[in-house]
Structure formats: C-alpha cells, structure tokens
Amino acid sequence: LGKDMKRVGYYLSEKKIRQLKFQEEVVVPSGDHLDFVLLNPSKPIEDQGHFDVLIFKLNSEFTSVETTGDTEALGIIHNFVHYKAEINPNVVYIDPVEAQNGVMDRVKMNHIFDSLAVQVDGVNSTKSLNVDADSIIDLDGITFPVICKTKQAGGSMAAHEMGIVFNEKDVQNWDRPFILQELINHDCTIDKVYVVGTHSFYDRRTSLKNMLQPPETDPIIFNSQSFKDLQGSLDDYNVPLPDQELIDRISASLSEITSLTLFGYDLIRNRANGEYYVIDINYFPGYSGIPQFGNCLLELINQALGLI
C-alpha cells in the first residue's frame, strides 16, 4: 500500500452487502486512497493486516450469545473488542462494540428515549415498565391499550413478535420477562429515519391503525415486520411531515446519547397533542430508498480519518 492509502475492513452479512450495493456504491467510488478489505470475523483481526477503520454489525452475534451462549459468536465479538483494546487503539470503529450493544436491549433503549425527551423540545417518551420473572406489576398511571414486547430489541424473529393488550388481567398473564409500553395512537403514520453521520433522511410508511380500549378484547398478537391486517391507510389522515430541523436535532441528540453514527429510528406523532416519540432504534438499518447512502458513508469514513 502507498503511504497515503488507508485500509478499511468491513464485516457485514452477504444479504446486507447486496442490499446496500456496497461494492458498487461504496468500494468502487471510494477513490485511490481507501483500500476496502472484507474481514473474516472468526479469525484474529490482527492476522488480516493493519486497519485504520473497521465497519461492522454484530446484532446477530449479540443475540446468539444472549439467548444460547453461542461460543462462535462470542469469539467474533471478542476479536473486535481485542483488536482495539490490545492491538490497535487508534483504529476507528464504525461503530463501537459497546454502542452497538446498547440498542440491542429495550430496557436500555427506554433510558435513551427518556434522555432524548429531556434534550429535545417537542419530543416525549412513552411510559413503560420492565417486567421480570418475579416483578410485581404496578400499572398505576399506565393508560391502556399497551404493547408488550421482548426485552431483546433485534437480531432474531422473536424480537419482532409483540402484542397489543387491553386490560390488566392479560398483562399479568403475559409471558415474562417483557417490556410494557403505552400505545401512542399516531394516525397509522410512521417516519422511518435513517442516519449516516450528520445526515438524516426519512421515509414515510403506514403504521398501526388507531386503537381504542374496548371493555373485553383479547390481546392482538403481531409481528412488527409484517402486520398488514392492523395497518390503516395514510390517505385517511393528513399527518404533517416532520420539520427537517427537528429531525436533525433528534438525530444529533441520539448520536450523542448512543455514540452511534450509523442507525435508524422510528418517529411517530401523537394524534392527541402533536408531540413526537421515538419508539425504536436500529443499528445499521437497510437504508432502503436512500440513494445517498454510499456517498454519505464515504464522507463519514473520510471525516473519521481526518481527511475532510
């Protein structure tokens, strides 16, 4: 390598590499000063060369370790932790291992939402409860309906299974442990926000229809990645688009709180009072429909290297 060439290692699933068109949109346009290397995460990183930047996503590894104690996944996580801590402390991680892990747990995520509500005017956080196996559930101040979710925020299909619950009896009978959150009616409108460094983009999608609290209704079980039967129509409402300045403030605050630079979040607007809520954060999402992703990622890498 030339003396001005910087090496960028990356570890992403084959699906994500195809989804992002990583080779065409990032590697090829990167110029003659960045050398991209696909990592084998099961081998020590130091055996694969010296790196200036590492880009990687460990969601599935965190989940495997948490749910099954998977030793191979634990070894992959160790390789990334070890390389920066013991071999090359000057390497730039996009993004740090501990920061990625910080949005894999919905209990931690709710603390992030609380911090965000303090920092950004016009943004609130949902009331929530963390229910463990031996918890006494106190629903004082909680308004039904509520959503019950697993504590694990991603990395598996189970993390996307959840239920809308309309009464205390069904909450008490819900499989533990779980997270309970008040359901905010938002006129079936959700804005998917994608963040790359200092750039934010959003894509409006259809979300859950408004829910009332009928006196006797069984829980509604659904998968958050596929719930067409529960969706309303955007044509039935006219929810104003969020102001880009507000989006940028939210993104900057979340980046500061989480230490992440590649992430997405779900933003809804309370139909009752117009307040905004962030209800989910995803590390390194698909960036679907964001043609600027490749250029923005290259900008982020060059900024991290102090080249621009």
Side-chain angles (χ1 to χ4, degrees):
L1 293 178
K3 65 177 183 179
D4 295 327
M5 179 74 78
K6 303 295 185 181
R7 296 190 87 216
V8 181
Y10 64 99
Y11 165 53
L12 303 168
S13 69
E14 290 184 8
K15 177 182 177 181
K16 188 160 234 20
I17 289 172
R18 289 195 307 270
Q19 184 183 50
L20 295 172
K21 298 181 179 178
F22 198 86
Q23 185 71 26
E24 303 95 319
E25 302 292 339
V26 179
V27 176
V28 172
S30 63
D32 57 5
H33 68 289
L34 297 179
D35 178 36
F36 282 83
V37 178
L38 180 62
L39 296 172
N40 181 340
S42 298
K43 294 182 178 180
I45 294 171
E46 59 268 28
D47 291 352
Q48 301 175 64
H50 174 86
F51 294 96
D52 300 286
V53 177
L54 291 184
I55 301 169
F56 56 98
K57 180 175 182 176
L58 297 176
N59 285 27
S60 59
E61 284 78 12
F62 291 134
T63 300
S64 295
V65 171
E66 178 73 21
T67 57
T68 67
D70 187 330
T71 55
E72 182 178 357
L74 185 62
I76 290 172
I77 295 170
H78 169 78
N79 285 342
F80 282 98
V81 172
H82 173 76
Y83 183 68
K84 186 169 180 63
E86 304 294 337
I87 305 298
N88 183 8
N90 294 322
V91 66
V92 176
Y93 274 10
I94 301 177
D95 280 310
V97 174
E98 61 275 16
Q100 293 188 35
N101 197 27
V103 293
M104 291 297 295
D105 179 288
R106 288 192 171 109
V107 177
K108 296 177 182 177
M109 202 180 293
N110 284 335
H111 293 315
I112 294 170
F113 299 154
D114 290 341
S115 298
L116 176 69
V118 172
Q119 292 188 12
V120 181
D121 291 340
V123 176
N124 206 339
S125 58
T126 58
K127 294 179 182 177
S128 63
L129 293 176
N130 173 25
V131 181
D132 291 315
D134 56 354
S135 294
I136 297 173
I137 302 178
D138 181 5
L139 295 173
D140 185 40
I142 298 290
T143 301
F144 285 93
V146 298
I147 296 184
C148 295
K149 309 175 180 180
T150 63
K151 291 190 177 185
Q152 194 72 33
S156 70
M157 288 303 296
H160 301 289
E161 299 290 336
M162 52 191 69
I164 302 170
V165 183
F166 297 89
N167 57 67
E168 182 174 354
K169 174 177 69 71
D170 289 327
V171 168
Q172 298 289 353
N173 291 333
W174 201 261
D175 287 343
R176 303 185 183 204
F178 65 93
I179 292 292
L180 177 151
Q181 288 180 316
E182 282 191 350
L183 189 153
I184 304 297
N185 282 321
H186 50 283
D187 290 341
C188 74
T189 303
I190 192 166
D191 291 305
K192 297 277 188 178
V193 184
Y194 301 95
V195 181
V196 190
T198 58
H199 299 282
S200 296
F201 310 92
Y202 66 89
D203 182 24
R204 176 148 287 188
R205 306 272 184 89
T206 303
S207 182
L208 282 174
K209 60 187 177 183
N210 294 328
M211 296 282 173
L212 303 176
Q213 187 191 355
E216 294 294 335
T217 302
D218 291 334
I220 300 173
I221 311 299
F222 69 101
N223 184 300
S224 63
Q225 294 188 321
S226 177
F227 56 98
K228 287 184 178 180
D229 291 346
L230 297 176
Q231 290 177 337
S233 171
L234 293 178
D235 294 336
D236 294 337
Y237 302 97
N238 188 25
V239 177
L241 292 171
D243 184 79
Q244 185 65 46
E245 183 181 352
L246 175 65
I247 293 282
D248 291 342
R249 288 205 310 272
I250 294 172
S251 299
S253 291
L254 285 175
S255 185
E256 179 185 353
I257 294 166
T258 63
S259 298
L260 294 175
T261 58
L262 287 179
F263 63 97
Y265 58 92
D266 293 347
L267 185 69
I268 61 172
R269 186 177 187 268
N270 189 335
R271 74 185 306 268
N273 58 20
E275 288 185 320
Y276 285 94
Y277 293 77
V278 174
I279 57 171
D280 194 23
I281 304 173
N282 301 297
Y283 179 63
F284 210 150
Y287 293 96
S288 175
I290 309 298
Q292 305 94 325
F293 171 75
N295 287 337
C296 291
L297 180 59
L298 288 173
E299 178 183 297
L300 178 63
I301 294 168
N302 283 306
Q303 285 175 337
L305 291 169
L307 301 178
I308 57 174

